[in-house]
Amino acid sequence: MRSRLWGGPAEVLEYLARYTHKVAISNDRIVGLHDDRVAFRVRDAAAANHRRTVELPAVEFIGRFLSHVLPAGFKRIRHFGLLASRHKTAKLAVCRALSDLPPPAPLVIESVAAFMTRAAQLDVTRCPCCESGRLVLCGPLAPVRRSLTQHPA
């Protein structure tokens, strides 16, 4: 039976095969956010994979990104063999040694504040009220649960 949404098993397999080893877009490809538009780098297959910058309305960008999120119940394909999680670090170190490759550079994880400053030129630590003070994270707040029959005060 063919699915009206996907067109059939072949189309589903082709779609999933493109996204088993990567995310829809990495932070490094996002160039900036200006006037509710997102600019990001792409490779243009029609122009011999030359890189160019594309700018989309933020709502359309988010919609395209969310179209790559797997539906509930779907799982990414797990790695087996050389890339299995249990011994991956040790096995890759042996492969690098046998190939005379240097060890990888340490992974640098960018903070949200640094990413927003780089991508959107937005200082998320600045107070939105006075625009001169700094917001300091003290800790998470527990969610407030209200009854459906209770009216806000």
Side-chain angles (χ1 to χ4, degrees), residues 49-153:
N49 284 331
H50 284 89
R51 291 185 176 178
R52 64 185 176 98
T53 301
V54 174
E55 195 172 295
L56 293 174
V59 172
E60 184 176 346
F61 175 82
I62 292 169
R64 287 186 182 190
F65 178 82
L66 290 177
S67 72
H68 295 85
V69 174
L70 291 175
F74 279 67
K75 302 291 180 203
R76 286 192 178 267
I77 295 174
R78 295 182 181 172
H79 294 288
F80 292 94
L82 180 65
L83 295 178
S85 295
R86 185 170 183 189
H87 301 289
K88 180 164 122 178
T89 304
K91 289 179 181 179
L92 287 177
V94 169
C95 289
R96 282 189 196 94
L98 293 173
S99 303
D100 291 327
L101 294 174
L107 181 64
V108 177
I109 299 175
E110 188 175 22
S111 70
V112 172
F115 172 74
M116 290 302 290
T117 301
R118 179 178 58 82
Q121 288 78 40
L122 177 67
D123 185 2
V124 295
T125 62
R126 179 177 289 160
C127 177
C129 296
C130 68
E131 295 187 3
S132 62
R134 305 306 262 176
L135 294 175
V136 178
L137 179 63
C138 297
L141 295 175
V144 177
R145 301 197 187 273
R146 294 187 183 157
S147 168
L148 293 175
T149 58
Q150 187 181 35
H151 296 287

Side-chain angles (χ1 to χ4, degrees), residues 2-41:
R2 292 188 68 161
S3 167
R4 284 181 270 157
L5 177 64
W6 291 98
E11 287 82 0
V12 172
L13 186 59
E14 180 185 341
Y15 173 82
L16 291 175
R18 291 190 303 253
Y19 302 104
T20 57
H21 293 81
K22 59 184 177 179
V23 295
I25 187 167
S26 65
N27 289 347
D28 294 340
R29 289 180 47 206
I30 299 174
V31 176
L33 173 65
H34 307 285
D35 300 324
D36 293 331
R37 297 182 68 78
V38 178
F40 58 99
R41 286 191 300 271

